[in-house]
């Protein structure tokens, strides 16, 4: 009790020191420009949206397993609602969960702390970024409740369906969806500028490019990818908005437009976007693996350069989403080659992670279990992608549940496993308390086993020819018989969702009564572990900003008594 | 392998399945190798009380091989897959074999409209036969289809044929298939097309020459009236 009180007092004091140039009370949090506060705002908003997206998955999976049933907490799912649920589930999970949590929350929290800076270079732009993001959140949530319902034209929003309300029957919902997505892009453009500039300019004295922890690099490379790829899509979004609202015909063949143009613009962004969310998750995993294997990373530079190579290649593969969309069939051959080539750097990323385990002293606590499961599960996502990159095989597999299971085996490890890994690893830093490891492990197994039980059946359904975005498979005689697989997936999902209660309970319990973490509970090397937990405003006392003397992964260096060697310790 | 789940009913179904099998074998090998290595390392180097990790930087020549050799081998596998894939793709999508007959497939919200050329064998003549959601074709005949859409994107998919092609408004996309087995099979729409996407289910009836001839006579007489 007494401890908690001093903790709170300390918190208040830390902020007071700066309060004279900021508003008071609750506004202090809303208008905070502190990177850690903004990170928390992104984190909790993202997690909340994760609950929304998960709930949507629950509703439409119930409909698929038990067609026509009145879904508890929702009701009967109409075909229009089904489409809107699927569309918004996908959009929310990618744009309002993966992006804010992996890029914005971890990026904001970690970059300044890991490079020894007192804040982002542009704190106000940072705040603006979150505020715009918040508007986009409200916009997408509101779009679900307007007349006509939420947009149901899939997260890819292909015109003419998305462009004309006579086709999609959700004029307001479609436009609100589009505006929400566009605002989200603006938020991340602003945030991205900040990450890049901060990493380039605000590093602690002595920190050279190759002394930067991999996760910070990854978030910055991801931000650069995002900024380079999103431009064409923003242009496309504006054209689509005009098609929707003032009747232009950019994508309408009857008026000289071309619907396939949208697909090129979308996937020119959409494919790099996959790597935008992948790279931060990979960074998180690498930092955790190095810490708990007590190992120097196997090939730091290989890692950074393969990430860059993946990023560059990812700009040349987009049309693998369009093999059978009506593009010139000769083009498919080029994109098959580029797509399969991208397997080389991705395989290399995984090899490096696996090789790092060699010779380690591997501690299997909760964050490490998450990090390792990322490797095991993402590998499934990776290898199944080869089937789809091979144009000849994609003729059959395109838009089936095989694709769906494939990309959930990439996105789930990224967005869910990566988040839990990072969250459980940095929780002690963020909140000053240790999490309960036993509850953490229960939550881990309760998530990872059902996750596989959801999506393995969906692979089978996809190979069986089941297509996506269909609200009732009983209408297709060849598919009707495979119902047990659908039920298995749905039941597994419900089990997985229930196990999330363990996580929330663990958070609350640990936050209120967990053991005090101290500065460096994991005996890790990177700079964020050299300050208090949670770090004060300004991160370190002004006269004691860290200096860097070595790289971030000097674990188990021969001749040293400790098996770690913090970056800021003079030799 | 795949035919255990979904019958093969077109001339190229087996090629596509063969390609999928080839990819399965190659990536399956890498998958098992990587996962095997991964779990073995976790077990072998699990925490020992008082244990200490080795200091390995990854710069050591003999260790770098652990990355560079698999790297090269992955590339070799990629080349095999690319060659196999391009060959299948060429046969199915790029190359149009001589047609015995040409039909038209039109997607619309939310039905498939099929136009059969009728007795004269030509489309856009008065004896064309139109059907909705049911497509009648003859076994062992090569068909060209002209795929069109009246409104939004649709995708003409016949899983037993391993055939799929998007329909795009404003375009006429020509493709081909050759049924090899008689029977009635699903046609699915594989591209979301609005609230009726889930009911856009057609059936394709592959018939022997005699039944097909009867069907044409029976329907062309009504069409001509
Ligand atoms: C919580 C567990 C999840 C389950 C059970 C689940 C399940 C599904 C299912 C069954 C569909 C397809 C529905 C249909 O096509 O009719 C779907 C679509 C999708 N999901 Fe998930 N999902 C989950 C988590 C995620 C996550 C974490 C992401 C990404 C970060 C994600 C991204 C998507 C996307 C992009 C789509 C495609 C939406 C569209 O077709 O427009 N999902 N999900
Ligand atoms: Cu892609
Ligand atoms: Cu459809």
């Amino acid at each position: 009790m007494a401890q908690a009180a001093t903790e709170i007092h300390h918190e208040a004091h830390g902020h007071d020191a700066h309060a004279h140039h900021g508003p008071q009370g609750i506004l202090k949090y809303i208008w905070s420009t502190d990177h850690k506060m903004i990170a928390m705002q992104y984190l909790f908003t993202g997690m909340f949206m994760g609950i929304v997206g998960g709930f949507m998955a629950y509703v439409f999976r119930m409909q698929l397993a038990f067609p026509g049933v009145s879904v508890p907490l929702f009701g009967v799912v109409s075909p229009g609602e089904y489409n809107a649920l699927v569309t918004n589930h996908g959009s929310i999970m990618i744009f309002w969960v993966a992006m804010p949590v992996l890029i914005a929350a971890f990026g904001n929290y970690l970059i300044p702390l890991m490079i020894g800076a007192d804040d982002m270079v542009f704190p106000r732009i940072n705040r603006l970024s979150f505020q715009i993001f918040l508007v986009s959140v409200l916009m997408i949530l509101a779009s679900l409740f307007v007349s006509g319902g939420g947009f149901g034209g899939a997260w890819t929003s292909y015109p003419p369906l998305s462009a004309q309300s006579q086709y999609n029957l959700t004029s307001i919902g479609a436009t609100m969806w589009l505006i929400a997505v566009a605002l989200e892009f603006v938020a991340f453009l602003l945030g991205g500028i900040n990450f890049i500039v901060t990493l380039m300019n605000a590093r602690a004295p002595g920190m050279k490019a190759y002394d930067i922890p991999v996760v910070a690099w990854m978030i910055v490379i991801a931000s650069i990818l995002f900024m380079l790829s999103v431009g064409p899509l923003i242009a496309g979004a504006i054209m689509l908005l005009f098609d929707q609202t003032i009747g232009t015909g950019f994508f309408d063949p009857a008026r000289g437009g071309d619907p396939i143009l949208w697909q090129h613009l979308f996937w020119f962004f959409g494919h790099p976007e996959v790597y935008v969310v992948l790279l931060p998750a990979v960074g998180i995993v690498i930092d955790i693996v190095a810490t708990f294997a007590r190992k120097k990373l196997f090939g730091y530079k290989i890692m950074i350069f393969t990430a860059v190579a993946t990023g560059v290649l990812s700009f040349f593969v987009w049309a693998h989403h369009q093999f059978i969309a009506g593009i010139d069939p000769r083009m498919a051959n080029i994109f098959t080659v580029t797509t399969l080539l991208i397997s080389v750097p991705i395989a290399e990323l995984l090899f490096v992670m696996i090789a790092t385990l060699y010779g380690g002293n591997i501690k299997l606590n909760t964050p490490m279990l998450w990090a390792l499961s990322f490797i095991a599960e993402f590998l499934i996502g990776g290898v199944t992608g080869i089937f789809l990159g091979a144009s000849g095989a994609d003729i059959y597999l395109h838009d089936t549940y095989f694709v769906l299971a494939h990309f959930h085996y990439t996105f789930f490890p990224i967005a869910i496993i990566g988040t839990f890994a990072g969250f459980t690893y940095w929780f002690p830093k963020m909140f000053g308390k240790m999490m309960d490891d036993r509850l953490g492990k229960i939550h881990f197994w309760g998530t990872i086993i059902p996750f596989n039980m959801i999506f393995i059946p969906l692979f089978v359904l996809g190979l069986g020819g089941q297509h996506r975005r269909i609200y009732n498979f009983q209408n297709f005689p060849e598919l009707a018989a495979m119902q047990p697989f659908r039920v298995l997936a749905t039941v597994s999902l419900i089990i997985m969702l229930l196990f999330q209660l363990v996580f929330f309970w663990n958070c609350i319990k640990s936050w209120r009564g967990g053991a005090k973490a101290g500065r460096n509970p994991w005996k890790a090397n990177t700079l964020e572990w050299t300050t208090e937990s949670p770090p004060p405003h300004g991160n370190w006392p002004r006269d004691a900003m860290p200096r860097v003397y070595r790289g971030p992964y000097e674990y188990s260096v021969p001749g040293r008594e400790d098996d770690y060697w913090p970056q800021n310790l003079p030799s | 392998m795949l035919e255990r789940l979904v019958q093969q009913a077109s001339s190229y179904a087996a090629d596509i399945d063969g390609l999928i099998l080839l990819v399965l074998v190659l990536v399956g090998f890498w998958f098992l190798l990587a996962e095997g290595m991964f779990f073995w390392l976790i077990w072998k180097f699990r925490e020992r009380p008082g244990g200490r990790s080795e200091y390995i930087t990854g710069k050591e020549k003999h260790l770098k091989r652990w990355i560079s050799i698999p790297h090269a081998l992955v590339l070799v596998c990629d080349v095999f897959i690319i060659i196999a894939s391009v060959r299948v793709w060429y046969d199915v999508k790029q190359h149009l074999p001589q047609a015995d007959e040409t039909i038209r497939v039109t997607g619309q919200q939310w039905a498939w409209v099929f136009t059969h050329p009728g007795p004269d064998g030509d489309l856009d003549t008065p004896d064309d036969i139109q059907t909705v959601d049911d497509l009648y074709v003859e076994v062992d005949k090569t068909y060209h289809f002209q795929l069109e859409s009246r409104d939004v994107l649709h995708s003409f998919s016949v899983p037993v044929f391993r055939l799929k092609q998007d329909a795009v408004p404003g375009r006429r996309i020509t493709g081909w298939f050759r049924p090899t087995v008689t029977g009635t099979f699903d046609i699915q729409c594989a591209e979301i097309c609005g609230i009726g996407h889930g009911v856009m289910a057609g059936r394709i009836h592959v018939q022997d020459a005699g039944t097909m001839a009867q069907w044409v006579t029976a329907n062309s007489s009504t069409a001509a009236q």
Side-chain angles (χ1 to χ4, degrees), chain A residues 343 348 360 376 398 467 554, chain B residues 35 48 55 71 78 164 188:
Chain A
S343 68
E348 196 137 314
H398 181 78
H467 287 123
E554 296 304 309
Chain B
E35 295 278 7
R48 297 135 289 171
Y55 186 76
H71 175 122
D78 281 350
K164 192 176 295 148
Q188 303 182 21

Side-chain angles (χ1 to χ4, degrees), chain A residues 479-527:
Chain A
L479 299 178
M482 294 193 282
Q483 197 63 12
F485 288 103
R486 294 183 198 111
V487 176
L488 176 58
T490 302
V491 171
S492 307
L493 171 64
I494 292 169
I495 295 172
M496 187 179 84
L497 291 177
L498 287 177
F499 266 100
Q500 303 316 303
L501 296 175
V502 179
F503 170 74
F504 290 112
W505 168 237
N506 193 357
C507 287
I508 295 169
K509 181 174 163 257
S510 308
W511 180 64
R512 290 175 47 183
K516 273 187 85 86
R519 288 180 184 233
N520 192 358
W522 310 125
K523 296 196 163 69
N525 286 344
T526 41
L527 293 181

